Amino acid sequence: MIRKSEGILWTILGLFVCVLARQVHFGSFREPGPGFVAFFSGLLIGGIGLVMFLAALRATPSKKNNTPGIVFPLPQWRQLFFTMALLCGYALVLDRLGYIISTLSMMWAFFYVFGRRRWISSLLISSVIVAGTYLVFDVWLRCQLPRGIFP
Amino acid sequence: MHVIYDLIYGFGVALQPANFLACFVGVFFGTLVGVLPGIGPVGAMSLLLPVTFALPPVNGIIMLSGIYYGSMYGGSTTSILVNIPGEAASVATTLDGYQMAMKGRAGPALGIAALGSFIAGTFGLVGLMFLAGPLAEFAVKFGPAEYFALMCLGLSLLVYLTQGPLLRGLIMAGLGIFLSLIGQDIITGKARFTFGMTGLLDGVGLVPVVMGLFGISEILINLERIHERNVTQAEVKNLLPNREDWKRSAKPVARGTLVGFFLGILPGGGAVIASFVSYALEKKFSRFPERFGAGMIEGVAGPESANNAASSGAFVPLFSLGIPANVVMALLLGALLIHGVQPGPLILAQHPDIFWGTIASMYIGNLMLVVLNLPLIGIWIQILKVPYRILFPLILLFCFIGAYSVGRSVFDLYVMIVFGVAGYFLRKWKYEPAPLVLAFVLGPMLEQNLRQALLISEGSLAAFFTRPLSAIALTIAILLLFSALIPSFQSKRKLMSAEE
């Protein structure tokens, strides 16, 4: 079932894209500019958003459709927030601390929290993974992972 | 006759030690990711994409292709043994494959899946070989209007066949086109939609987008329901199907090959649809349709053959027209472009080593898969027993390494995280990411061809409807989208996407 909020969201986004496209020069059909295609993509998004909104408005709510769209139980939110915070933190420190330290910390945190909460075994598994991936990606495949504090 | 000479030349390329090794790594890695639920061929190819940068183009493309058809093979193992498809194209196999395993016939089910895939993959390649060349020669005559129309058709087909309301698919396609335009304008070089961020000057990277939408979001969804998989405890023996099994499977394999190959060629089609169409066909042709779902070997042989033939067929539009038929091919297109190779009608003349080398490597790869898969089934079962709580941090790490290695930029990691979160919510709200990714890859080409066509025609839109091919493709695309408004088509579409 399509929600009214979805329609509003896409309509606003589509309008925003159209405005941005006009700013970078739309051009004309004879000589299309850099914003030409973007303008029409915005028009598509906004137009469909509007259709969605109108369709949701016209739809008669039934008992079946009155259930909320997404329900997140508390533990689920916690897991998601923890994972996302860890990923963002990892991206933040990767360049500064380097691959080895930041990956070891992230892996340990994952294994400790989602595993059986034994810090020694979590550290051991993390160390093996960091050593293995470093060997494969940096040494063999020369992906040049960030060195951070190491010279 | 010169096709044979070209194929011999291709084998010369594919059998070079470096290419042979690339093929082996590709099919092995592909089978592994096919076996592991949670990381599909798209994620695996994104992961290995940066690795291929250091390799010659032919080497890299052979490896990436190997991952694709290898994952089609590997996906059947989890479907049969755990009732969890390793990737979407193996969903149909779970219906009868798992039931066979429950009845102690996991061996023949795995055997017919591997052998059927081998036969279909090989015949699919014959089709690719004979079709891609002539089509490429024909496509030389195409202008920007034809290319624009064909890309629109491909996108419309994908949107049409995507799960959920058509409007959501269209929104995803529009969003994908807009995102692909971020960065410098291809004609004027002017920066657009970068909001002052230098990281966006080169545009949004394909790998972080794909990794986020398919890798990170998939893990976030799976985190909600971490559970240990129930791998069949019965010993897997007698992998080679017996005479009766072969008798029952011969026609499904043949039909699956044909259906799969032609559905694979279709832009927007692909292995998922092919496997379901094949399953439906087998049920229709069977004298005992009521027994389907209870462990019929035909229900394994047909879909598995179809998804492998489709993976060969999908190479036809990519190699001959430069238009990807599905997301995996879109990624392969991205890889070719990064390597400086423009797929399309001229690839045969400019890069025969890539074209024929890849085709020949696929013959070798298909053989490798049979040799690999049957004896290594024990190892795949052991891998399946690794708990998800151990697997998912590893998959996350691989996503990070993959996204970082492309441009050695932390900015790409942020992009990946943003798309991961966005992908998670989009999936929750029943928005499929596939049209977004295909539109994202096609976006720059779509823009270039549209602008060129309009410049040539001096702004006249009639140019798109006066050239026959362009007119036909655009008319089909428009009809397809409008057909979704007709009730009888609506129910048909719902049925197809529900199967998907």
Side-chain angles (χ1 to χ4, degrees):
Chain A
M1 178 184 173
I2 291 171
R3 288 168 287 266
K4 272 182 265 183
S5 54
E6 270 179 88
I8 297 171
L9 177 85
W10 294 123
T11 310
I12 294 171
L13 189 77
L15 284 172
F16 179 62
V17 170
C18 288
V19 172
L20 284 176
R22 294 289 297 184
Q23 282 173 356
V24 295
H25 182 56
F26 174 81
S28 62
F29 275 85
R30 194 180 277 264
E31 217 170 307
F36 187 82
V37 176
F39 180 82
F40 285 103
S41 71
L43 212 60
L44 177 76
I45 298 168
I48 291 171
L50 197 64
V51 173
M52 281 171 126
F53 176 72
L54 293 175
L57 212 62
R58 277 187 60 186
T60 46
S62 64
K63 268 187 185 174
K64 221 178 177 180
N65 292 334
N66 276 344
T67 50
I70 309 169
V71 181
F72 293 98
L74 193 62
Q76 201 173 299
W77 270 118
R78 276 194 201 141
Q79 283 187 348
L80 284 176
F81 269 124
F82 174 76
T83 309
M84 291 320 300
L86 218 54
L87 294 183
C88 292
Y90 180 69
L92 269 173
V93 299
L94 183 67
D95 254 353
R96 278 166 227 167
L97 294 180
Y99 177 76
I100 295 175
I101 295 178
S102 41
T103 308
L104 192 68
S105 314
M106 180 179 78
M107 286 284 130
W108 178 82
F110 270 129
F111 289 133
Y112 183 77
V113 173
F114 287 99
R116 297 202 172 106
R117 296 195 179 256
R118 291 179 191 145
W119 74 269
I120 294 181
S121 60
S122 304
L123 191 67
L124 264 174
I125 301 173
S126 314
S127 307
V128 171
I129 288 171
V130 171
T133 49
Y134 187 80
L135 198 72
V136 172
F137 288 99
D138 197 89
V139 179
W140 291 342
L141 297 171
R142 294 177 192 169
C143 284
Q144 291 185 2
L145 300 169
R147 294 192 176 277
I149 54 170
F150 296 110
Chain B
M1 187 65 191
H2 68 89
V3 172
I4 306 296
Y5 291 126
D6 289 334
L7 189 63
I8 293 168
Y9 165 71
F11 272 105
V13 175
L15 286 170
Q16 285 169 12
N19 293 335
F20 190 80
L21 186 69
C23 182
F24 176 78
V25 172
V27 294
F28 185 83
F29 199 68
T31 311
L32 182 67
V33 296
V35 167
L36 291 174
I39 178 163
V42 180
M45 283 170 75
S46 316
L47 185 67
L48 273 195
L49 187 60
V51 173
T52 65
F53 292 166
L55 307 171
V58 63
N59 228 242
I61 302 306
I62 284 176
M63 191 192 282
L64 292 172
S65 311
I67 295 174
Y68 180 37
Y69 55 83
S71 66
M72 293 295 143
Y73 255 75
S76 61
T77 310
T78 39
S79 299
I80 293 166
L81 297 178
V82 205
N83 203 21
I84 297 174
E87 37 77 46
S90 299
V91 176
T93 313
T94 56
L95 303 172
D96 280 274
Y98 186 64
Q99 290 303 321
M100 281 182 75
M102 295 295 281
K103 289 176 181 168
R105 299 201 72 228
L110 289 165
I112 201 71
L115 294 166
S117 297
F118 171 71
I119 296 166
T122 311
F123 277 99
L125 284 171
V126 176
L128 166 64
M129 218 166 66
F130 284 97
L131 213 65
L135 196 62
E137 279 168 30
F138 178 61
V140 176
K141 294 167 194 153
F142 290 2
E146 279 83 3
Y147 274 109
F148 172 77
L150 283 172
M151 283 178 219
C152 285
L153 176 63
L155 263 176
S156 320
L157 264 167
L158 188 70
V159 167
Y160 183 82
L161 295 168
T162 306
Q163 270 182 315
L166 189 82
L167 295 176
R168 287 185 178 145
L170 277 171
I171 291 256
M172 288 291 95
L175 206 59
I177 291 174
F178 172 69
L179 290 168
S180 75
L181 303 176
I182 294 174
Q184 286 177 328
D185 175 35
I186 38 168
I187 296 177
T188 61
K190 191 178 169 185
R192 51 183 177 175
F193 321 123
T194 58
F195 306 101
M197 286 186 251
T198 45
L200 287 178
L201 271 177
D202 283 338
V204 183
L206 174 66
V207 175
V209 169
V210 171
M211 286 290 199
L213 286 175
F214 287 90
I216 305 279
S217 72
E218 178 80 34
I219 287 168
L220 293 179
I221 298 252
N222 286 340
L223 271 181
E224 293 173 3
R225 42 186 158 90
I226 287 187
H227 53 265
E228 304 307 325
R229 292 182 293 275
N230 189 18
V231 183
T232 183
Q233 297 300 320
E235 196 188 341
V236 178
K237 52 188 179 183
N238 300 330
L239 283 169
L240 287 180
N242 58 32
R243 186 177 285 198
E244 173 63 19
D245 291 334
W246 272 118
K247 208 173 142 188
R248 286 170 55 188
S249 304
K251 281 180 185 168
V253 169
R255 281 191 287 260
T257 306
L258 274 175
V259 166
F261 180 74
F262 287 105
L263 281 175
I265 295 175
L266 217 65
V272 183
I273 298 161
S275 61
F276 276 105
V277 170
S278 163
Y279 189 82
L281 258 183
E282 291 320 315
K283 209 170 165 180
K284 203 165 192 173
F285 276 111
S286 174
R287 280 185 294 154
F288 312 104
E290 71 284 355
R291 289 189 198 167
F292 271 75
M296 292 282 274
I297 199 163
E298 294 91 330
V300 177
E304 277 303 310
S305 310
N307 71 30
N308 253 65
S311 61
S312 309
F315 281 86
V316 174
L318 179 75
F319 277 151
S320 50
L321 306 173
I323 297 173
N326 54 45
V327 180
V328 180
M329 287 298 120
L331 207 66
L332 207 61
L333 171 76
L336 284 163
L337 293 174
I338 290 169
H339 280 288
V341 179
Q342 176 69 53
L346 298 177
I347 197 172
L348 264 169
Q350 290 171 349
H351 301 281
D353 54 334
I354 292 182
F355 182 81
W356 290 108
T358 307
I359 288 184
S361 81
M362 284 157 84
Y363 279 109
I364 299 167
N366 271 305
L367 198 65
M368 274 181 190
L369 282 166
V370 174
V371 178
L372 260 181
N373 262 8
L374 294 183
L376 291 186
I377 275 180
I379 294 176
W380 303 136
I381 293 173
Q382 290 307 314
I383 289 173
L384 274 173
K385 287 178 180 168
V386 176
Y388 193 70
R389 61 172 192 277
I390 304 275
L391 272 181
F392 91 84
L394 256 175
I395 298 171
L396 276 177
L397 180 63
F398 288 150
C399 289
F400 266 86
I401 297 174
Y404 180 84
S405 319
V406 182
R408 293 189 189 101
S409 150
V410 173
F411 186 80
D412 284 342
L413 298 185
Y414 292 124
V415 171
M416 183 183 73
I417 293 172
V418 168
F419 275 91
V421 176
Y424 171 76
F425 284 106
L426 287 173
R427 280 175 190 226
K428 280 273 174 190
W429 283 324
K430 309 276 180 231
Y431 284 83
E432 281 291 311
L436 190 150
V437 175
L438 192 65
F440 182 77
V441 174
L442 289 178
M445 289 187 279
L446 200 90
E447 183 191 27
Q448 191 180 1
N449 284 298
L450 175 66
R451 284 167 75 177
Q452 277 178 355
L454 285 173
L455 279 170
I456 294 167
S457 69
E458 296 182 331
S460 165
L461 289 175
F464 295 100
F465 293 95
T466 47
R467 297 173 74 102
L469 185 79
S470 151
I472 293 169
L474 279 178
T475 310
I476 296 173
I478 293 165
L479 285 177
L480 212 58
L481 295 179
F482 276 98
S483 71
L485 299 173
I486 303 164
S488 61
F489 277 93
Q490 251 174 3
S491 54
K492 261 184 195 169
R493 192 184 151 260
K494 266 184 196 160
L495 197 75
M496 282 168 84
S497 46
E499 281 174 342
E500 194 181 332

